[in-house]
Amino acid sequence: MTTKNKKVKKENDADNTTKCVADVIEAESEYLNLKGQERVSGFAVSGGGIRSASFGLGVMQALVANGQLEKMDYLSTVSGGGYLGAALTWSLNQGGDDVGTTKDKFPLGKIKESSRQDKKAGNDQTEEEKREANAKAGHTHPDYTNNGLLDFIRQHSNYLMPTDGLGLFSFIGVVLRCIILSLTVYFCMLTAVITVCKLCGLFGDDHGYVLFKSNILAGCISSIPPFLDVSGVFIPLCIILIVWYVISVFTHSIWVAISSKTDKLSEYLGFISAQKIIGVVWKVTLSCFLIGTLPFVVALLGDVKTIVNTAFDSTLYGVGVGIWQYIKSAKNEKSSSTMSGVLIYVAVFALVYGLLLLAYVASDFFFSMSPDVFHLKAFLFFCLAVFILGRYTNLNIIGPHRIWRDRLMEAFMPDRDAIKENNWMPAKKADSALMEDMCSGKHKRPYHIINTNVILANSKEVKYRGRGGDNFMISPLFCGSEATQWRTTNTFQKKQGRGMTLATAMATSAAALNPDAGVSGAGFTRNTVVSVLLSALNLRLGYWTGNPARNVWSFAPNFFVPGLSTEILRSGFRETDIRVLLSDGGHFENLALYELIRRKLNLIIVSDGGEDGGFNFDDLANAVEKVRVDFGTKVVFKDKNGEGMKADFGLNGILFNADGQNAFQKKYEIAERGFAIADIHYNDGSMGTLVYLKLAMINELPTDVYSYKGLNPTFPHQSTADQFFDEKQFEAYRELGYTIAWKMMESPEGREALKLPLV
């Protein structure tokens, strides 16, 4: 593929897609003019919410101060790292010649410039004067305080509640709105369906046959023995299916005996077909039972008030457990106990059955509580209203995703007036900023790849189904994945709207709370029952988009399609669907390392700001496993295992070891270092270097960082659920990242990896 003036121009739609990732990499290489370049490098910022963004910012500032960020060809971000990446990409796009990745133009903090400068006090210094002052003060490295955008981000890191008008009550109100709207739509749908069932006499004589005075099943029902005397269709059908199943249990053994001498392949295939049929039969049986018992439960409860109260309590219990599961997902807690599993299943039953009971009672309104009178016009108007509400409500806009996107955009991609006043304002320019327009002109580097996960829970490919999806990248040139193919960004989503914006890509990459997806493809939110519950409550941060391979999406995602069809009835989540659901990139790989390894870079620097208080290196292990399986690439850390190694630059140096340490080091859990270095062995025999920086307490940090650690023992691995940072918390993580990165560049191994002059 070729590029022209940054965008990939092709004459027809087929030429705007590719199944081969080599086409994508070749286009990027041509666009960045990488061919013939001796060393291609990239910087990856992991997931972990505002914690990862703060830590990654410190790392980025250290790279800038030492002239390394300007050498980076790629910037790969995922989840919380995307906050930082989007802020940089947006600043470079808007700043023109006044900004850059050099230390004198870096938009996220300039050396020795504070937010409150006093020109008369002699602070108007040249870079040389600042360096001399630094040396006299005994500083071993230049420092960043701030001006402009960084100060704005620091003061607005509590981004979910930026103002009184968008505070806690506003946030809770929006979430409740999502739940109420979703339940209303599905309740009305059930009411319409049950009303039609009553009209057709499927519930028996309680409502008579208004449209059908006779019923084809009436004869069958009347012939049922007295001890099975039930009215309606659903319970008899349920009984028939159960009887069929019991009979099939015995006939199956007889059939096996008779067919034992027949073709074994036919026997094997027959077993598979029978198992599929049994699964469908039990689903139908359960559905018939739930619906068929409604008249009996109504009769048992008696008056309407009792029925409504019972149904409402049942529904409320389901909603409560759903919200509880959503909160646990935010805290990354696991529901491993048997009791938790039982509560979830009971909650789904309570929610569904509560809505069915309410719908059954509500449907009587159209009969005026009489089987002989039916308000046809009112019912048709009701159905039309339900259709309009369900069909034309855009799930991407009405769900939590939208508020998530807007708050992130306002905090990390603010307008200039907001930065100037250091006050929250609507981000009007960023709202319409397209991804295809980023990394252009003089600021092509670092080329930004935003990583998301395309949910493929029902994929026919066992690899995608087992992992729960595939890495779906969003970049200025291409969007897509191996599962869905790749499409040029300037044609992606154009049939559904204006295209993919930088703000939407950033928010989608950080959509951590989403049904059918979990960190590294695991977790209780991948449970089908939990996913159905959260989907029914419209609790998702993910983003529905068109499939890059099938540019035919004609209408917005709504409560019917894919809300009901895919998320609740489970007919979808495949790479061949017209629509695909994107979630947090950490649901596939949380270090943003995957795409950089795919491109076989010579140098990769990774900022890992993920929560890992136990230092299990989960995200690193997941990334190493996936690149080994998918690309045949091995990552080997430089552990101290030979005489030639003067120091241990493997993962062991990051771990805290209390043996032989003084009281200060024990109190603050001081590790030897906060980084490790590894060799990358690509499958073609080429080599690369991985520099891995990790959240860890080390020596020679500023006093305020140690103080913050003392007051907050879980630092620097505070919960990802904490997205409400204040200035002290933000600065503690930023300074930690800065110091760790600087010490890495001071070490002999770090200087060798970055090809810096040895001291």
Side-chain angles (χ1 to χ4, degrees), residues 497-520:
R498 59 191 176 187
M500 176 63 69
T501 64
L502 175 61
T504 298
M506 168 184 61
T508 303
S509 178
L513 310 182
N514 208 78
D516 294 288
V519 177
S520 300

Side-chain angles (χ1 to χ4, degrees), residues 43 118 187 196 232 312 322 375 391 462 532 548 682 701 709 733:
F43 177 42
D118 183 359
F187 162 72
V196 172
F312 181 78
H375 300 296
R391 164 65 175 77
V462 65
V532 170
Y682 294 112
L701 290 169
K709 166 69 174 177
Y733 280 103

Side-chain angles (χ1 to χ4, degrees), residues 278-586:
I278 290 173
V280 173
V281 166
W282 274 109
K283 289 180 181 178
V284 174
T285 302
L286 179 61
S287 300
C288 288
F289 177 79
L290 290 177
I291 299 174
T293 56
L294 291 175
F296 299 98
V297 174
V298 168
L300 180 66
L301 294 175
D303 61 286
V304 175
K305 182 178 179 180
T306 303
I307 297 170
V308 172
N309 287 339
T310 302
F312 181 78
D313 291 343
S314 178
T315 304
L316 191 62
Y317 170 75
V319 172
V321 173
I323 295 175
W324 169 60
Q325 289 297 318
Y326 199 63
I327 293 173
K328 292 189 73 173
S329 178
K331 295 180 179 180
N332 199 27
E333 295 179 6
K334 297 181 179 179
S335 297
S336 56
S337 67
T338 302
M339 183 56 65
S340 295
V342 171
L343 288 175
I344 294 169
Y345 281 90
V346 171
V348 173
F349 172 81
L351 177 65
V352 173
Y353 205 79
L355 289 176
L356 282 171
L357 269 179
L358 288 173
Y360 189 88
V361 174
S363 64
D364 284 337
F365 168 81
F366 300 107
F367 295 91
S368 293
M369 305 303 290
S370 171
D372 298 322
V373 179
F374 181 70
H375 300 296
L376 180 60
K377 291 183 179 179
F379 179 67
L380 293 177
F381 179 80
F382 175 79
C383 290
L384 178 62
V386 173
F387 174 78
I388 293 174
L389 184 62
R391 164 65 175 77
Y392 293 100
T393 299
N394 189 328
L395 294 182
N396 285 337
I397 295 178
I398 201 63
H401 167 83
R402 183 65 188 210
I403 186 174
W404 179 249
R405 170 197 183 269
D406 290 350
R407 297 295 86 82
L408 284 172
M409 176 181 66
E410 293 151 4
F412 295 94
M413 302 169 60
D415 285 354
R416 290 185 177 181
D417 288 343
I419 297 174
K420 183 179 179 180
E421 299 294 331
N422 198 12
N423 281 318
W424 175 91
M425 294 181 184
K428 298 177 182 178
K429 290 185 177 180
D431 181 59
S432 58
L434 296 175
M435 193 68 197
E436 65 193 77
D437 294 327
M438 300 299 113
C439 303
S440 59
K442 296 182 179 180
H443 301 300
K444 292 182 179 181
R445 289 182 174 86
Y447 181 80
H448 195 179
I449 296 175
I450 298 177
N451 297 276
T452 70
N453 173 61
V454 54
I455 296 177
L456 302 173
N458 296 326
S459 172
K460 293 182 179 180
E461 295 285 341
V462 65
K463 178 175 73 172
Y464 302 138
R465 187 171 66 250
R467 292 175 171 180
D470 191 22
N471 196 72
F472 190 104
M473 73 169 212
I474 300 173
S475 72
L477 293 182
F478 284 92
C479 297
S481 68
E482 181 180 317
T484 62
Q485 303 182 26
W486 292 268
R487 174 174 289 277
T488 56
T489 306
N490 62 336
T491 64
F492 182 56
Q493 284 212 132
K494 290 302 174 73
K495 286 191 176 182
Q496 298 87 49
R498 59 191 176 187
M500 176 63 69
T501 64
L502 175 61
T504 298
M506 168 184 61
T508 303
S509 178
L513 310 182
N514 208 78
D516 294 288
V519 177
S520 300
F524 70 93
T525 46
R526 284 209 61 193
N527 181 286
T528 300
V529 176
V530 174
S531 298
V532 170
L533 178 61
L534 295 180
S535 297
L537 298 177
N538 196 20
L539 292 176
R540 75 179 71 73
L541 291 178
Y543 183 77
W544 282 100
T545 185
N547 190 327
R550 304 184 63 187
N551 197 28
V552 294
W553 183 11
S554 59
F555 55 88
N558 55 66
F559 284 111
F560 296 143
V561 180
L564 177 64
S565 62
T566 300
E567 294 191 281
I568 295 180
L569 299 182
R570 316 301 294 173
S571 61
F573 290 131
R574 299 183 181 91
E575 60 271 31
T576 55
D577 295 341
I578 294 176
R579 298 169 188 80
V580 293
L581 180 60
L582 304 181
S583 69
D584 193 309

Side-chain angles (χ1 to χ4, degrees), residues 176 210 233 358 408 437 610 631 714:
L176 290 178
V210 177
V233 171
L358 288 173
L408 284 172
D437 294 327
F631 308 135
T714 58

